[in-house]
């Protein structure tokens, strides 16, 4: 048997296979009240396969009629959305081309010289060339750089520094620097790359020794300060990237599943000189708060015990890995204020979510805000602990030095997907932003973003403070729900309209659902378009039909549909957001808010306790446990939980692109200025492969943006390994640079007096959940030096 004959038989076998899959899912869809197209497509495909075995030329008019119907149906469902049309048309287009090929016609006993075949095959190279040109066009920057470079230093030194995680205490992530402009940003070039390497006590291996980096470096004087995932604190020369010092705290990371440090804090001791007159603070994976001399990296001997404070004091029994700090402390009025990360979904008695303040010089405990006892601000008595299982604050906090207030975003009382056991205080303070008196720890006001949260919508984003032209002191609180609440930060009252609107009901036994939820109707929503059967996606009609079946089998009544046991629930948006810990950035001169968001659905279901026990789903212990990944044990409640992304059997999202967007909001009018898909398909693809296709798609993202006085927005964040500069007013991409892994961090920009240049720096550590690689690189970019 010659090769052509084998290929012909393989093709027929392929047609029979896909026809079986299409008929199977097509029948399910019809039973569920869904589209009849896939059943019809399966019948036609099996007919084409059968006619091919019989060498019947009837295959041509049959397939032509079917393809015409498919075209009409595809455009009726999807319009002219290319990503939505692709799975509906691509596979059948390839089958149609094969039916016209000389090889197929020869095996059918027809003349391979058929005129139509010649036309098709001459068109194929043309289509390939045009496609390549289109891809190249999409991957180029439309305007070449030609702007002037001004080497004049900023008016004062402070303008050129980046002293807090968000540059300002209020987290605006805005720089007043003006050297890099929309006209010359295309001239940006790599200046240096620092490799964090290993922690010094881990094996040198790809998976354990290389550190993932999410830190936003601070720039103080002539140095950058940052941390690694293993809490090494590093000082770099801001001009050259050379290491000045490195402090290795030798942490115990046993049982720690998320090794993250997003930044350090800095404090200048008033009227002090010498050792520790300037300090760098970090908190560790084994729950210690460290103070280091900014000049040498040595521990500050007058801080706590030999430069460290034990954050487990007052916490009671804590299983290793259940409690640590991933965000830098907030610094206000000589105090360090911090919350903590608490492991998700284990049991009702997990460590407390207490927020605490410590003296920045001595490390002495100052006050606590314990949600279980909100009016008591001291340490627990011997044998007692801060209230267990309370909502925690793991994201970055903001501070207003003038008002003397700390703004803390909060999560849920543990666990996430059941709340029948929660107390009145848990209900008040969960999934909220809380304003605390920096001197006493008293609750000044609380605004809740989700009532009785049963969807893991903890508030991950830093509250962003902005002063408005009318004198109001604003606070923007982004949420995973895609709602951004615009509040008065002195009172907590909404500046823009917030409405309590009805939401789906139907809690499981032992729980309840809030009849209404707050919606920020005075601001644009970023939860994305409502999912429907028509917007279910796939790489082929096969997995698209599968996703449609899964969609119709799930419970979905809109956003905030409760999770139950009888069938899965589609959760929209998923717990990645909306807006995650990257928060938003503000251009205060133009009153713009830059927002990068995700549109990734979750497929969730509760598991009755008896079944969970039989399946061995139990809390993580010091020895491990089956309660990580998609399972949450939720011990102490009647249900465990299963939560996973809504994916097809080809590991592609079941919803059509875009999965990530970047937008600008005009805060003068509270309207959307522009919105675009964020990132290309270059580093995404089927079965977790990278397609290498730089086609604008909109991909998942984690990380934040920064803005500058010249109207530029710098951001990495995407699953695509790219760092971008965008025109803040138009959304036009002006520059981009390839990164060794995803830049899942917030960048920093600063002025270097040594070369009189503005630098932009980003940590490019990658992220396992983002499938964006792994690296230990911190990369700096700047305009060319003056010759």
């Amino acid at each position: 048997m010659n090769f052509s004959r084998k290929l012909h038989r393989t093709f027929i076998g392929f047609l029979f296979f896909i026809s079986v899959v299409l008929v199977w899912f097509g029948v399910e869809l019809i039973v569920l009240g869904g589209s009849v197209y896939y059943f019809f497509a399966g019948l036609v495909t099996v007919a084409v396969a059968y006619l091919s075995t019989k060498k019947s030329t009837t295959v041509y008019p049959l397939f032509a009629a079917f393809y015409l119907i498919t075209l009409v149906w595809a455009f009726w469902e999807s319009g002219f959305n290319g990503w939505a049309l692709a799975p509906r048309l691509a596979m059948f287009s390839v089958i149609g081309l094969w039916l016209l090929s000389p090889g197929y016609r020869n095996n059918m006993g027809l003349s391979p010289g058929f005129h139509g075949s010649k036309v098709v095959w001459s068109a194929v190279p043309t289509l390939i060339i045009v496609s390549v040109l289109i891809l190249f066009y999409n991957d180029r920057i439309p305007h070449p750089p030609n702007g002037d470079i001004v080497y004049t230093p900023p008016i004062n030194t402070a303008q050129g520094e980046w002293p807090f995680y968000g540059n300002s205490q209020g987290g605006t992530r805005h720089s007043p620097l003006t050297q890099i402009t929309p006209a010359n940003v295309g001239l940006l070039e790599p200046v240096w790359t620092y490799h964090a390497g290993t922690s010094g006590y881990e094996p040198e291996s790809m998976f354990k020794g290389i550190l993932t980096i999410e830190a936003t470096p601070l720039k103080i004087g002539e140095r950058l300060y940052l941390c690694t995932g293993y809490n090494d604190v590093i000082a770099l020369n801001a001009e050259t990237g050379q290491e000045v010092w490195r402090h290795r705290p030798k942490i115990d990371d046993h049982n720690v599943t998320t090794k993250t440090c997003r930044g350090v804090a800095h404090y200048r001791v008033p009227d002090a000189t010498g050792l520790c007159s300037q300090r760098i603070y970090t908190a560790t994976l084994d729950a210690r708060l460290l103070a280091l001399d900014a000049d040498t990296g040595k521990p500050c001997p007058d801080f706590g015990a030999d430069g460290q404070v034990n954050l487990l004091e007052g916490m009671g029994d804590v299983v290793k890995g259940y409690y640590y700090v991933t965000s830098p402390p907030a610094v206000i009025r000589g105090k360090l204020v911090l919350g903590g990360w608490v492991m998700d979904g284990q049991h009702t008695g997990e460590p407390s979510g207490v927020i605490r303040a410590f003296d920045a010089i001595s490390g002495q405990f100052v006050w606590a805000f314990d949600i279980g006892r909100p009016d008591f601000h001291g340490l627990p008595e011997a044998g007692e602990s801060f209230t267990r299982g309370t909502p925690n604050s793991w994201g970055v906090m903001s501070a207003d030095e003038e008002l003397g207030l700390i703004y803390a975003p909060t999560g849920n009382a543990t666990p996430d997907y059941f709340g029948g056991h929660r107390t009145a205080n848990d209900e008040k303070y969960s999934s909220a932003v809380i304003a605390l008196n920096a001197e006493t720890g008293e609750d000044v006001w609380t605004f809740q973003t989700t009532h009785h949260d049963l969807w893991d919508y903890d508030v991950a984003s830093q509250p962003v403070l902005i002063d408005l032209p009318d004198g109001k002191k604003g606070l923007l609180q982004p949420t995973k729900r895609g709602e951004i609440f615009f509040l008065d930060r002195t009172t907590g009252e909404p500046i823009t309209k917030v409405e309590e609107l009805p939401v789906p009901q139907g809690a499981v036994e032992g729980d309840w659902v809030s009849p209404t939820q707050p919606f920020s109707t005075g601001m644009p929503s970023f939860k994305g378009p409502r999912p429907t059967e028509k917007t279910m996606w796939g790489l082929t009609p096969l997995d698209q039909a599968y996703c449609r079946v899964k969609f119709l089998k799930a419970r979905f009544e809109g956003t905030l549909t409760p999770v139950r046991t009888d069938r899965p629930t589609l959760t929209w948006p998923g717990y990645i957001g909306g807006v995650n810990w990257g928060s938003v950035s503000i251009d205060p001169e133009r009153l713009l808010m830059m927002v990068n968001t995700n549109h990734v659905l979750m497929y969730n279901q509760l598991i009755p306790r008896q079944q969970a026990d039989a399946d061995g789903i139990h809390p993580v212990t010091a020895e491990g446990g089956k309660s990580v990944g998609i399972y949450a044990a939720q011990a102490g409640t009647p249900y465990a939980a299963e939560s996973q992304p809504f994916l097809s059997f080809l590991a592609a999202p079941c919803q059509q692109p875009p999965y990530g967007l970047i937008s600008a909001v005009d805060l003068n009018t509270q309207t959307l200025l522009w919105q675009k898909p964020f990132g290309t398909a270059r580093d995404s693809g089927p079965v977790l492969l990278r397609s290498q296709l730089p086609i604008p798609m909109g991909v998942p993202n984690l990380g934040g943006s920064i803005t500058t006085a010249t109207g530029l927005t710098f951001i990495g964040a995407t699953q695509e390994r790219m760092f971008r500069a965008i025109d803040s007013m138009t959304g036009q991409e002006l520059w981009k640079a390839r990164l060794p892994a995803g830049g899942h961090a917030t960048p920093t920009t600063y002025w270097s007096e040594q070369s009189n240049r503005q630098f932009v720096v980003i940590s490019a550590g990658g992220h396992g959940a983002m499938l964006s690689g792994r690296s230990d690189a911190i990369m700096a970019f700047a305009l060319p030096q003056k010759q």
Side-chain angles (χ1 to χ4, degrees):
M1 183 184 296
N2 61 34
F3 177 75
S4 176
R5 187 66 177 163
K6 288 182 179 178
L7 199 60
H8 183 69
R9 290 192 171 185
T10 301
F11 173 68
I12 293 173
F14 170 71
L15 291 180
F16 275 121
F17 168 75
I18 65 174
S19 67
V20 170
V21 177
L22 286 171
V23 168
W24 180 277
F25 289 134
V27 170
E28 283 198 275
L29 281 170
I30 292 171
V31 171
L32 293 168
S35 173
V36 300
Y37 169 80
Y38 297 89
F39 178 71
F40 165 68
L43 294 181
V44 172
T45 307
V46 74
V48 170
Y50 175 76
L51 291 171
S52 296
T53 64
K54 298 300 182 182
K55 298 184 179 182
S56 172
T57 57
T58 309
V59 71
Y60 287 106
L62 173 64
F63 191 82
F66 165 71
Y67 192 76
L68 180 60
I69 292 171
T70 297
L71 280 174
V72 173
W73 168 78
F75 281 100
W76 171 71
E77 279 208 332
S78 306
F80 290 93
N81 184 322
W83 283 107
L85 290 171
R88 292 167 168 86
L89 298 178
M91 187 178 80
F92 291 121
S93 296
V94 172
I95 291 173
L97 288 173
W98 190 266
L99 294 176
L100 293 172
S101 70
Y104 177 84
R105 291 183 57 77
N106 183 57
N107 281 289
M108 291 287 286
L110 301 172
S111 169
F114 175 59
H115 181 69
S117 179
K118 289 182 178 180
V119 172
V120 171
W121 281 99
S122 65
V124 169
T126 304
L127 289 173
I128 292 174
I129 293 171
V130 170
S131 298
V132 170
L133 290 175
I134 291 172
L135 295 180
F136 174 77
Y137 176 78
N138 284 330
D139 198 39
R140 66 186 287 272
I141 301 300
H143 299 295
N146 56 10
D148 295 329
I149 304 173
V150 178
Y151 294 94
T152 305
I155 295 174
N156 59 67
T157 302
Q159 286 186 325
E161 298 202 335
W162 195 275
F164 299 96
Y165 176 84
N167 198 11
S168 66
Q169 284 178 291
T172 56
R173 297 165 177 77
H174 178 76
S175 170
L177 295 178
T178 59
Q179 186 184 63
I180 304 173
T181 69
N184 65 31
V185 67
L187 295 171
L188 279 181
E189 57 188 17
V191 178
W192 54 257
T193 298
Y194 173 79
H195 292 281
T198 66
S199 60
Y201 55 92
E202 278 275 313
E204 186 86 29
S205 75
M206 179 176 179
F207 298 103
K208 295 192 73 177
I210 294 177
L211 307 179
T212 54
I213 311 291
E214 290 185 3
T216 296
L218 304 186
K219 198 272 185 176
I220 312 293
E222 296 180 352
R223 294 181 183 177
L224 296 182
Y225 299 95
L226 65 144
C227 55
T228 73
Y230 280 91
N231 300 126
D232 288 9
V233 180
I234 301 167
L236 303 178
N237 181 296
E239 174 71 28
T240 67
Q242 292 181 318
E243 184 177 303
V244 179
W245 55 257
R246 181 172 187 148
H247 177 81
R248 294 182 170 92
K250 301 294 184 182
I251 59 161
D252 179 359
D253 67 322
H254 179 72
N255 216 34
V256 174
T257 57
T258 306
K259 298 177 177 65
T260 302
C261 180
R262 297 195 177 93
V264 298
H266 168 264
Y267 180 66
R268 183 176 283 105
V269 179
D271 304 320
T273 58
L275 182 68
C276 291
S277 58
Q278 290 194 66
R279 303 178 180 214
I280 301 297
Y281 303 94
T282 194
T284 66
L285 300 179
D286 52 4
R288 291 175 287 153
L289 176 60
L290 310 181
L292 307 174
D293 176 47
D295 286 336
T296 64
K298 295 179 179 179
C300 295
D302 58 346
F303 184 85
D306 299 321
Q308 62 182 18
V309 170
N310 179 13
L311 295 177
L312 296 181
E313 183 181 1
M315 297 293 287
D317 294 331
V318 176
V319 175
K320 286 184 177 180
Y322 266 60
Y323 177 86
Y324 49 90
V325 182
T326 57
S327 297
V331 181
I332 180 172
R333 296 189 176 184
K335 300 173 186 64
L336 309 173
V337 183
L338 69 166
W341 182 90
V342 177
M343 189 179 290
D344 281 346
Q346 303 307 301
H347 55 81
T348 55
E350 292 190 47
S352 176
V354 62
I355 297 170
R356 286 172 285 181
F358 298 89
D359 185 274
I361 300 175
S362 68
Q364 290 295 310
F365 170 85
V366 179
W367 54 257
F369 178 69
D370 179 358
I371 284 173
R373 296 184 292 175
D375 297 324
F376 176 74
H377 302 288
L379 286 168
E381 297 290 335
E384 297 182 352
S385 69
F386 294 116
T387 309
R388 303 185 73 89
T390 54
N392 64 317
S393 181
W394 63 267
V396 179
M397 300 180 190
S398 290
D400 187 318
E401 194 80 27
E402 180 184 353
L403 294 177
L405 295 179
I406 284 285
Y407 302 95
T410 65
N412 292 330
T414 58
D416 289 313
Y417 299 104
F418 181 84
H421 61 290
R422 296 175 188 168
T423 68
N425 285 339
D426 292 339
E427 298 292 356
K428 177 181 178 180
Y429 293 110
S430 68
S431 298
V433 54
I434 307 174
L436 300 174
N437 185 308
E439 301 292 350
T440 65
E442 293 176 308
D443 170 18
V444 177
W445 58 258
T446 298
F447 181 89
Q448 190 167 63
T449 67
T450 305
H451 308 319
H452 194 64
D453 182 0
L454 301 173
W455 303 270
D456 196 12
Y457 283 149
D458 51 323
V459 183
S461 300
Q462 181 182 16
V464 179
L465 313 185
I466 178 173
D467 295 329
L468 301 176
D470 61 4
K472 289 183 179 178
K473 294 182 177 295
L475 179 150
L476 290 155
Q477 183 57 70
T479 67
K480 292 182 179 180
R481 288 178 53 203
E483 304 291 325
I484 298 182
F485 297 94
F486 201 176
L487 312 174
D488 184 321
R489 68 176 182 266
T490 62
T491 65
E493 294 298 316
I495 289 176
T496 57
K497 190 174 183 180
V498 174
E499 295 183 89
E500 288 284 339
L501 301 177
V503 292
Q505 298 296 292
V508 291
E509 184 178 352
D511 208 345
W512 57 277
V513 178
S514 175
T516 64
Q517 291 286 356
F519 288 83
S520 184
T521 54
M523 293 284 285
S525 172
F526 294 94
K527 62 178 176 288
R530 180 182 174 121
T532 65
E533 185 203 340
K534 288 182 181 180
T535 60
M536 293 300 101
W537 199 67
L539 296 170
T540 69
L542 309 182
D543 57 319
Q544 185 177 48
Y546 167 82
C547 287
R548 286 190 182 229
V549 169
K550 286 190 70 176
F551 175 81
L552 292 174
K553 284 184 174 180
R555 184 185 182 202
F556 180 67
E557 299 169 21
T559 188
L560 298 162
T561 301
V563 184
R564 296 182 58 86
T565 59
D566 52 340
R567 56 177 171 151
T569 292
L570 200 65
T571 300
W572 163 60
Y575 63 62
I576 192 176
V579 187
N580 210 286
W581 56 261
S583 194
V584 299
S585 62
I586 300 296
D587 183 332
E589 298 167 21
R590 297 167 182 81
L591 277 182
L592 293 180
M593 175 176 66
M594 311 305 299
V595 189
N596 56 294
T597 52
N598 289 287
H599 295 159
V600 178
L601 303 176
M602 300 300 295
Y603 210 67
N604 299 337
Q605 188 168 6
L606 293 177
I607 304 170
R609 178 58 54 198
Q610 185 176 1
Q611 179 184 340
D613 291 342
D615 291 343
I617 302 172
H618 56 77
V620 170
T621 65
E623 291 74 38
K626 188 182 176 182
S627 187
V628 293
I630 66 173
Y631 294 107
Q634 301 197 141
T637 77
Y639 312 95
E642 180 181 355
S643 180
Q644 55 187 314
F646 188 27
L647 302 177
S648 77
F649 52 72
L650 294 178
C654 273
Q655 66 195 100
Q656 70 187 33
Y659 309 119
L661 293 171
I662 186 164
S663 315
V665 175
D666 184 340
L667 293 176
N668 291 291
T669 60
Q670 295 88 52
T671 57
L672 200 63
L673 185 63
W674 55 261
Q675 185 172 79
K676 297 187 177 183
F678 187 29
T680 78
R682 182 197 297 266
D683 295 317
S684 307
V687 292
L688 309 183
L689 299 175
R690 297 162 63 187
S691 72
Q692 302 296 336
L693 298 176
I695 309 172
M697 182 185 195
V699 295
N701 57 90
L702 274 178
S705 64
I706 62 173
T707 64
T708 73
T710 57
L712 290 173
T713 295
F714 288 96
I715 185 167
T718 60
Q719 183 184 62
E720 183 189 11
R721 305 173 189 188
M722 200 70 73
F723 187 32
R724 291 177 164 87
I726 297 168
D727 187 308
S728 301
M729 291 297 296
T730 66
Q732 183 181 35
E733 185 178 290
L734 301 176
W735 169 87
K736 58 186 172 185
R738 194 75 172 140
L739 299 175
H744 303 295
T746 299
T748 298
T749 188
Y750 60 87
W751 188 266
S752 173
E753 294 183 356
Q754 185 173 332
S755 61
N756 280 334
R757 288 187 296 172
Q758 180 183 350
F759 282 62
V760 186
V761 175
I762 188 167
S763 299
H767 194 286
M770 288 282 107
L771 304 175
S772 57
R774 192 174 175 91
S775 170
D776 62 348
I778 296 95
M779 297 186 68
F781 301 85
L783 297 172
Q785 277 190 278
K786 187 175 183 179
Q787 299 300 318

